[in-house]
């Protein structure tokens, strides 16, 4: 391909794509350099050209900013920043022009205007903000940036503080490098400015009234942050704790995944800091932090987020590479998930593991371009200029508090070592790492600058290093803790759940209180016109309250929530169709059919239980599983007195959140000692709807069960759901609860309960057959909706010697209760486990050892169900029915060898 292949039209012409692929931006140079038409003659044309030039700097000045400490690349071509591009000449430099909206001067020479613009937009801070559509936010940023003109006005005391924190950061890394040779620590070297940056974020937030800051970050620099910001001792990080012993129930985690909390003294009062635990899945902690912050804000009544602030740290490659970032940003301004804006900090090493070539790392110009989807401003800052970093922090924090929106700080730095300390980066990055090896550290550069300015002497600089080293040698904190007697007003006492009794507790409520709650949730406080189908649901619930109809699932669930709210607990439910219910069953929110505005015509009965009730929140979430479930996990780990429920639209939709389930929900207590009472409702049942909407993948949750980490239940009756939800808060235990929730059973005539089951009953981990004779010779055990198929087939076939037993809690397995039920059938000779899932799925393989353990004399259970399959279910109704018929035959009548 040669220059003759170039089509002399717009470079955007699709026919030039192959040419651009081969020759890149060089192909555009001559086109971009062409002056804009009709910008040549007359004083008015020159004035317009100047205003266009000012606007161009606001858009494109960031591309000429001196951001990279390594100066690896020349700034990209930006002819729009050249006065000649608009027909202006050197003769115009001395002429005066109106500056329009430029802050700081109303009229000046072109030379002065250019100098102001260059100082404001092309120095060590580059601001990307013109994508914001709100004029007020843009003008606020313009005033900050253009008034500063690259002069950050840093006082002498602040300069000394910045150097001290840089010294703490660098000295710690060198200390660890010599004290713990060869150990992975994911060093902060090359990005030491992060420590003074966080120091300034905390102080600035405290100045605005922050009482709590919750941070999330990946492993890069985490140990440095734990020691230098959180005040965590190095001994606690490097000395293996007691839970590292082989006989400990806790597995623990590596030091660069650890979380920590402390109370830090600032000039504006103490601030509680919390650093979230995080696995190696980098960005997934983002929504976890947001959920924890929302719980703390709700506890304080901090609607706008003045007192609790999320600070989220990202890596450059992860920020642009992980989809959960987009999901989290997308929900950040929605009603159920907003926090009043987060402060985002990007540790921009300009490399992801071994990938640093701009042609490979992403398809956008900046790693922060994802921020544009929520119109967040981005302050790119050169990590080798701590004073520019401090200015970026002040601007970002003030913006967040002014507009309650997200703001990003892109700390452009480098990674002095490889991905970890055992990695050799020169093997794959020789160009980059030759520059790094020759580049002085940020501390060295800034210390030299302050000595030259006369702020400090070289002796004072050396004393800072010696003092820090001395404190490290004596394992002293590198950050000032708050007063020893400081107690957080809104702290939560988790100790009451540390050794909670896993046994059953009373969950019934009196018939009179049940009647009161039923009246409250079926009575309109003001007239609205309901949809006819919803009105039918309401009328039926009134009849259920009166005992004229049996209790269905929707009424039982609403009553469970009402009963918890009634005694002061809070309830929070989220999912993609939670308010109505995926299957049109819950109807926790009623809509006036005559409503004309979104702000009116909505009635939520559970908000009107009684005057001193708990808070009820129900959210129709955005179309996300990973970020929303992670958010709810974060919320549940920060508030043990709220029933937090996440409902999947269909159970298999949780597949998209598997990282959250594996790395947080099921293992968080074992790794980090984090308790969590989150409830997952996953609709599950094989009803001929095909492979994607049948299975909630029960087998995956059972495979993750160990050490009493979670609860897995498959309720088949509304009363069971009622007691399960109540038990989750009433019992002094906080464990995640995974419910295989019903679909067709929601309207199955046999899947109902009586009011007395709610007022006098309890959750039954095992339900015995209410009709089978004690002389039954065959026992069929199952979980879930297949029991109703088995019961219908047994009745139709007149099988009087078959007992059908339901296990409603698969983990922790109710061994004592199950044994007691089996012992009630002394003549039983055949034992069958029946399931609707394929053999390699469902509960069979994960539950078989429990089942057989309860049988006497070496007997064993036989399997009745679908054969092993790659897909969960068939998409053909005829095949589904044939498989079900085979299942029923095998369960009820097939003979098995003893």
């Amino acid at each position: 391909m040669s220059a003759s292949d170039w089509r002399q039209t717009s470079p955007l012409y699709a026919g030039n794509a192959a040419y651009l692929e081969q020759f890149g931006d060089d192909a555009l140079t001559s086109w971009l350099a062409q002056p804009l038409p009709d910008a040549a003659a007359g004083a008015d044309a020159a004035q317009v050209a100047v205003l266009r030039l000012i606007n161009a700097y606001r858009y494109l000045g960031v591309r000429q900013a001196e951001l990279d400490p390594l100066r690896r690349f020349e700034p990209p071509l930006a002819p729009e920043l050249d006065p000649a591009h608009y027909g202006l000449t050197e003769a115009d430099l001395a002429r005066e022009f109106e500056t329009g909206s430029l802050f700081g001067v109303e009229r000046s020479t072109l030379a002065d205007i250019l100098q102001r613009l260059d100082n404001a937009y092309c120095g060590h801070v580059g601001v990307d903000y013109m994508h914001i559509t709100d004029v007020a936010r843009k003008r606020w940023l313009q005033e900050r940036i253009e008034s500063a003109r690259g002069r950050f006005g840093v006082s002498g005391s602040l300069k000394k503080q910045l150097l001290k924190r840089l010294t703490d950061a660098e000295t710690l890394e060198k200390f660890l490098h010599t004290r713990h040779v060869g150990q992975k620590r994911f060093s902060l070297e090359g990005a030491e400015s992060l420590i003074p940056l966080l120091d300034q974020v905390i102080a600035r937030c405290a100045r605005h009234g922050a009482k709590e800051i919750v941070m999330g970050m990946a492993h890069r620099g985490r140990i440095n942050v734990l020691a230098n910001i959180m005040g965590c001792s190095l001994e606690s990080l490097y000395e293996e704790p007691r839970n590292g012993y082989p006989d400990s129930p806790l597995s623990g985690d590596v030091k660069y995944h650890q979380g920590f909390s402390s109370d830090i003294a600032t000039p504006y009062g103490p601030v509680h800091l919390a650093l979230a635990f995080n696995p190696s899945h980098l960005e997934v902690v983002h929504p976890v932090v947001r959920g924890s912050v929302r719980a703390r804000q709700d506890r304080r009544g901090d609607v706008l987020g003045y007192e609790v602030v999320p600070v989220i740290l990202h890596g450059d490659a992860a920020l642009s590479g992980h989809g959960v970032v987009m999901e989290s940003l997308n929900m950040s301004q929605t009603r159920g998930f907003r926090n009043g804006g987060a402060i985002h900090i990007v540790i921009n090493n300009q490399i992801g593991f071994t990938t640093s070539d701009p042609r490979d790392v992403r398809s956008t110009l900046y790693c922060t371009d994802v921020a544009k989807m929520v119109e967040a401003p981005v302050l790119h800052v050169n990590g080798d200029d701590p004073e520019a970093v401090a200015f970026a922090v002040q601007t970002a924090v003030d913006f967040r508090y002014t507009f309650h929106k997200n703001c990003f700080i892109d700390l452009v730095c480098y990674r002095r070592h490889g991905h970890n300390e055992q990695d050799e980066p020169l093997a794959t990055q020789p160009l980059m790492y030759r520059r790094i090896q020759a580049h002085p550290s940020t501390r060295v550069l800034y210390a030299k600058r302050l000595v030259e300015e006369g702020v400090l002497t070289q002796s004072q600089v050396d004393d800072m290093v010696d003092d820090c080293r001395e404190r490290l040698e004596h394992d002293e904190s590198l950050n000032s803790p708050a007063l020893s007697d400081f107690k957080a007003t809104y702290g939560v006492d988790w100790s009451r759940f540390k050794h909670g009794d896993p046994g059953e507790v009373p969950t019934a409520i009196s018939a009179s209180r049940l009647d009161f709650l039923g009246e409250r949730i079926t009575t309109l406080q003001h007239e609205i016109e309901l949809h006819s189908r919803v009105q039918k649901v309401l009328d039926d619930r009134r009849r259920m309250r009166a005992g004229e109809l049996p209790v269905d699932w929707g009424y039982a669930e609403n009553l469970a929530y009402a009963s918890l709210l009634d005694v002061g607990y809070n309830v929070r439910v989220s999912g993609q169709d939670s308010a109505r219910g995926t299957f049109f069953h819950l109807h926790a929110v009623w809509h006036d059919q005559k409503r004309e505005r979104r702000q009116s015509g909505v009635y939520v009965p559970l908000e009107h239980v009684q005057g001193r009730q708990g808070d009820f929140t129900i959210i129709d979430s955005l179309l996300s599983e990973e970020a929303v479930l992670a958010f709810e996990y974060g919320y549940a780990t920060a508030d043990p007195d709220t029933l937090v429920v996440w409902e999947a639209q269909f159970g298999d939709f949780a597949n998209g959140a598997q990282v959250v389930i594996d790395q947080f929900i099921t293992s968080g207590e074992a790794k980090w000692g984090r308790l969590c009472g989150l409830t997952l409702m996953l609709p599950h049942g094989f009803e001929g709807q095909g492979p994607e909407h049948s299975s909630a993948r029960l087998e995956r949750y059972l495979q993750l069960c160990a050490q009493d980490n979670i609860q897995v239940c498959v309720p088949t009756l509304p009363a069971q759901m009622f007691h399960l939800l109540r038990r989750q808060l009433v019992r002094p235990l906080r464990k995640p609860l995974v419910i295989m929730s019903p679909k067709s059973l929601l309207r199955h005539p046999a899947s109902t309960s009586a009011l007395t089951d709610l007022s006098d009953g309890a959750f039954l981990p095992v339900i015995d057959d209410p009709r089978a004779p004690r002389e039954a010779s065959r026992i069929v055990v199952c979980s879930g909706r297949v029991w109703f198929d088995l019961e219908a087939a047994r009745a139709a076939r007149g099988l009087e010697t078959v007992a059908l037993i339901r296990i409603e809690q698969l983990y922790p397995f109710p061994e004592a209760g199950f044994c007691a039920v089996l012992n009630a059938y002394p003549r039983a000779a055949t034992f069958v486990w029946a399931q609707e899932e394929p053999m390699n799925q469902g509960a069979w393989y994960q539950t078989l050892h429990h089942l057989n353990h309860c049988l006497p004399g070496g007997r064993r259970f036989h399997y009745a169900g679908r054969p092993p399959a790659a897909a969960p279910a068939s998409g053909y109704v005829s095949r589904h029915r044939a498989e079900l018929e085979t299942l029923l035959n095998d369960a009820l009548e097939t003979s098995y060898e003893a």
Side-chain angles (χ1 to χ4, degrees):
M1 182 169 286
S2 64
S4 61
D5 296 302
W6 178 259
R7 309 293 175 85
Q8 292 298 329
T9 60
S10 164
L12 303 181
Y13 174 58
N16 288 324
Y19 189 93
L20 286 171
E21 180 68 25
Q22 180 168 339
F23 296 104
D25 291 343
D26 293 341
L28 304 178
T29 302
S30 60
W31 182 78
L32 291 172
Q34 296 174 11
L36 294 178
D38 303 322
D44 288 344
Q47 177 63 67
V48 170
V50 170
L51 296 179
R52 293 168 75 184
L53 180 61
I54 291 170
N55 203 46
Y57 266 90
R58 289 169 169 169
Y59 273 99
L60 301 173
V62 60
R63 300 193 187 181
Q64 297 294 302
E66 299 175 15
L67 301 175
D68 183 4
L70 303 176
R71 299 182 180 180
R72 290 192 301 151
F73 304 109
E74 289 295 321
L77 183 69
E80 296 91 340
L81 304 184
D82 183 353
H85 187 72
Y86 304 93
L88 298 166
T89 66
E90 287 191 20
D92 293 314
L93 292 174
R95 291 178 57 191
E96 287 194 351
F97 295 95
E98 300 291 334
T99 61
S101 60
L102 183 67
F103 280 95
V105 62
E106 294 183 0
R107 184 177 178 85
S108 190
T109 64
L110 177 58
D112 180 60
I113 292 171
L114 286 171
Q115 189 62 55
R116 287 173 178 271
L117 291 169
D118 189 72
N119 291 341
Y121 290 105
C122 303
H124 285 169
V125 177
V127 189
D128 200 358
Y129 69 98
M130 289 299 284
H131 53 277
I132 298 173
T133 56
D134 180 61
V135 174
R137 277 183 273 159
K138 279 196 290 192
R139 292 298 288 158
W140 187 95
L141 287 162
Q142 286 165 2
E143 181 176 12
R144 277 295 182 97
I145 300 156
E146 293 166 6
S147 298
R149 296 173 59 191
R151 301 168 186 168
F152 306 128
V154 177
S155 65
S157 61
L158 180 54
K159 290 182 179 185
K160 293 175 185 178
Q161 175 68 7
L162 293 173
L163 180 60
K164 178 186 179 302
R165 300 308 274 146
L166 278 175
T167 302
D168 290 342
E170 181 180 290
T171 307
L172 173 66
E173 294 294 351
K174 291 183 176 179
F175 177 82
L176 294 176
H177 195 66
T178 55
R179 180 61 62 89
H180 302 282
V181 178
Q183 287 199 34
K184 288 183 183 180
R185 68 180 190 277
F186 298 96
S187 162
L188 190 62
E189 290 172 90
E192 294 94 339
S193 286
L194 176 68
I195 298 305
L197 186 157
L198 289 174
D199 208 44
Q200 291 299 301
V201 166
I202 294 165
R204 196 74 176 183
C205 287
R207 181 177 179 178
H208 282 283
K211 306 299 181 187
E212 295 185 68
I213 294 175
V214 184
M215 297 192 295
M217 67 181 298
H219 43 274
R220 174 75 53 212
R222 191 181 190 92
I223 293 176
N224 210 309
V225 170
L226 282 165
N228 270 311
I229 297 298
M230 308 297 297
C232 183
S233 71
L234 291 180
E235 182 180 3
S236 66
L237 287 169
Y238 277 86
E239 293 298 324
E240 197 166 270
R242 289 182 60 188
N243 63 18
Y245 296 155
D247 59 349
S248 169
L250 299 181
S251 65
D253 203 348
V254 292
K255 51 189 170 293
Y256 39 83
H257 291 169
Q258 294 298 324
F260 194 71
S261 64
S262 58
D263 300 303
I264 299 300
T266 77
Y268 310 98
V271 173
H272 180 74
L273 299 182
L275 177 63
F277 294 86
N278 189 37
S280 284
H281 285 272
L282 303 177
E283 292 292 337
V284 74
V285 77
H286 177 171
V288 173
V289 166
R290 287 187 178 274
S292 177
V293 168
R294 180 60 180 258
R296 297 162 194 259
Q297 290 173 338
D298 287 350
R299 192 156 58 236
R300 290 173 172 268
D302 184 20
V303 178
L304 294 177
Y306 283 105
E307 296 185 357
V308 190
V309 181
V311 175
I312 301 163
L313 284 69
H314 310 267
D316 52 313
L319 178 67
S320 58
H322 286 207
V324 71
V325 175
M326 184 281 293
E327 292 184 27
S328 302
L329 289 175
N330 190 32
M331 73 183 187
S332 67
Q333 298 297 319
T334 60
R335 291 181 295 173
F337 304 98
R338 60 190 172 203
N339 298 125
I343 297 165
H344 299 262
I345 300 162
V346 184
I347 306 174
N348 189 346
N349 296 311
Q350 307 181 76
I351 187 171
F353 197 29
T354 60
T355 306
S356 64
D357 193 315
R359 296 171 296 181
D360 301 322
V361 293
R362 57 183 172 268
S363 297
T364 59
L365 184 58
Y366 299 110
C367 65
T368 53
D369 281 345
V370 67
K372 294 179 178 179
M373 67 175 285
V374 290
E375 299 193 359
V378 181
L379 293 100
H380 306 273
V381 60
N382 189 316
D384 268 356
D385 187 347
E387 295 177 17
V389 170
F391 172 78
V393 167
Q394 293 167 12
T395 304
V397 173
D398 291 354
F399 178 89
R400 184 263 177 195
Y401 268 94
T402 301
F403 298 104
H404 308 288
K405 302 286 186 182
N406 295 288
C407 191
F408 280 71
I409 300 172
D410 179 21
L411 182 67
V412 184
C413 48
Y414 55 92
R415 191 185 70 192
R416 188 164 290 279
H417 303 294
H419 178 65
N420 60 63
E421 289 66 36
Q422 300 168 8
D423 189 29
E424 176 48 78
L426 275 168
T428 53
Q429 312 292 327
L431 291 174
M432 185 180 199
Y433 273 84
R434 282 202 303 269
R435 282 184 176 264
I436 290 173
Q437 288 176 345
H439 190 73
S441 72
T442 305
R443 186 200 69 82
V444 169
L445 291 171
Y446 192 53
K448 179 181 178 182
R449 175 176 161 185
L450 294 191
V451 170
E452 291 173 352
E453 291 178 3
V455 175
L456 290 168
T457 65
Q458 186 60 49
S459 176
Q460 290 172 313
V461 169
D462 296 338
D463 287 344
M464 279 188 181
V465 177
D466 294 340
D467 178 63
C468 181
R469 182 83 189 192
E470 181 73 13
R471 283 182 290 143
L472 290 170
E473 292 285 358
H474 291 87
D475 196 35
E476 295 178 10
S477 174
L478 296 175
N479 204 5
S480 302
L483 298 175
S484 59
D485 59 350
F486 172 74
K487 294 189 182 298
T489 306
Y490 291 91
V492 175
D493 177 20
W494 285 86
S495 62
R496 54 199 162 122
F497 306 111
K498 286 290 185 181
H499 304 289
D501 184 358
E504 295 301 323
V505 295
T507 52
I509 59 175
S510 68
S512 60
R513 201 61 189 174
L514 200 65
D515 183 68
F516 167 79
L517 297 175
E519 186 271 333
R520 298 302 295 171
I521 64 174
T522 58
T523 301
L524 283 164
Q525 301 298 315
H526 55 269
E527 280 303 314
I528 63 173
E529 182 177 318
L530 299 177
H531 188 278
S532 58
R533 290 184 63 190
V534 179
Q535 185 64 54
K536 173 66 164 57
V537 170
L538 176 57
D539 292 340
D540 286 347
R541 287 180 182 173
R542 288 169 175 162
R543 295 178 65 194
M544 292 174 198
R545 176 195 164 213
E548 298 172 7
L549 287 177
V551 173
D552 68 7
W553 290 82
Y555 188 48
E557 186 177 339
N558 273 277
L559 282 174
Y561 297 149
S563 68
L564 293 171
L565 295 167
D566 186 38
V567 295
Y569 288 117
N570 303 320
V571 175
R572 176 185 169 90
V573 184
S574 75
Q576 289 160 15
D577 200 6
S578 290
R580 185 199 70 172
T582 298
F583 307 102
F584 208 78
H585 73 287
L586 185 61
H587 298 289
V589 178
W590 299 345
H591 298 270
D592 189 347
Q593 294 302 297
K594 294 183 178 179
R595 65 190 292 192
E596 296 180 353
R597 295 184 301 133
R598 286 182 298 176
Q599 294 81 3
S600 64
V602 172
Y603 183 76
V604 183
L606 287 165
E607 291 179 349
H608 303 277
V609 175
Q610 51 111 332
R612 303 184 66 180
Q613 70 172 77
D615 294 328
F616 178 72
T617 304
I618 192 161
I619 303 147
D620 288 334
S621 68
L622 64 160
L623 199 65
S624 160
E625 282 79 38
E626 184 175 12
V628 173
L629 181 55
F631 185 102
E632 302 303 344
Y633 170 82
Y635 196 108
T637 58
D639 189 350
D641 296 317
T642 294
L643 177 66
V644 182
V645 179
W646 179 74
E647 182 181 21
Q649 196 171 59
F650 284 91
D652 56 345
F653 284 19
N655 293 351
Q658 201 64 43
V659 169
V660 184
I661 295 163
D662 290 354
Q663 304 299 327
F664 289 94
I665 295 172
T666 60
S667 60
E669 183 179 356
K671 292 189 295 186
W672 312 314
R674 298 295 290 166
L675 300 181
C676 169
L678 178 64
T679 297
L680 279 65
M681 286 190 183
L682 309 177
H684 175 84
F686 284 57
E687 297 152 358
Q689 294 191 37
E692 307 309 328
H693 294 328
S694 296
S695 175
R697 292 293 190 174
L698 171 63
E699 65 280 357
R700 292 184 181 171
Y701 297 93
L702 293 175
Q703 183 187 39
L704 294 169
C705 290
Q707 299 178 302
D708 293 330
N709 59 335
I710 62 173
Q711 310 158 84
V712 179
C713 297
V714 193
T716 56
L717 296 169
Q720 290 285 84
M721 180 69 86
F722 172 86
H723 292 294
L724 258 184
L725 294 173
R726 284 185 47 76
R727 186 183 76 169
Q728 192 67 352
L729 283 192
V730 172
R731 188 164 58 171
L733 189 74
R734 292 297 175 266
K735 301 278 186 178
L737 169 62
V738 179
I739 299 176
M740 299 288 119
S741 54
K743 297 185 295 180
S744 65
L745 288 189
L746 293 169
R747 292 174 179 81
H748 195 293
S751 186
T752 58
S753 299
L755 284 171
T756 53
D757 295 330
L758 279 57
S759 61
D760 301 327
F763 175 71
L764 302 175
V766 181
I767 299 180
D768 195 1
D769 192 326
R771 287 184 292 278
R774 292 300 128 182
E775 60 272 15
S777 60
R778 187 185 190 99
I779 293 179
V780 179
V781 181
C782 64
S783 280
R785 65 165 302 286
V786 72
W787 184 91
F788 295 91
D789 293 327
L790 291 164
E791 166 65 8
R794 179 179 67 171
R797 301 179 188 190
L799 302 175
E800 299 295 334
T801 60
V802 176
L804 302 178
I805 299 171
R806 283 170 276 183
I807 298 181
E808 303 272 295
Q809 178 174 294
L810 288 167
Y811 190 84
F813 190 81
E815 187 168 307
F818 185 54
C819 287
V821 171
L822 291 181
N823 290 337
Y825 298 94
R827 298 186 181 180
T830 302
F831 300 88
V832 180
W833 170 263
Q835 67 176 42
E836 53 189 356
E837 301 89 352
M839 188 179 193
N840 59 316
Q841 299 169 36
W844 171 241
Y845 284 127
Q846 297 299 326
T847 307
L848 178 60
H849 61 292
H850 292 299
L851 298 172
N852 287 337
H853 187 258
C854 293
L855 289 180
R859 295 181 179 182
R860 62 187 179 89
F861 271 85
H862 302 280
Y863 173 80
R866 290 175 168 85
S874 173
Y876 305 111
V877 174
S878 57
R879 179 169 176 171
H880 166 78
R881 290 172 177 166
E883 290 173 344
L884 177 60
E885 187 64 24
T886 300
L887 182 164
L888 296 173
N889 290 337
D890 290 345
L892 298 173
E893 298 189 76
T894 297
S895 296
Y896 295 97
E897 295 182 4

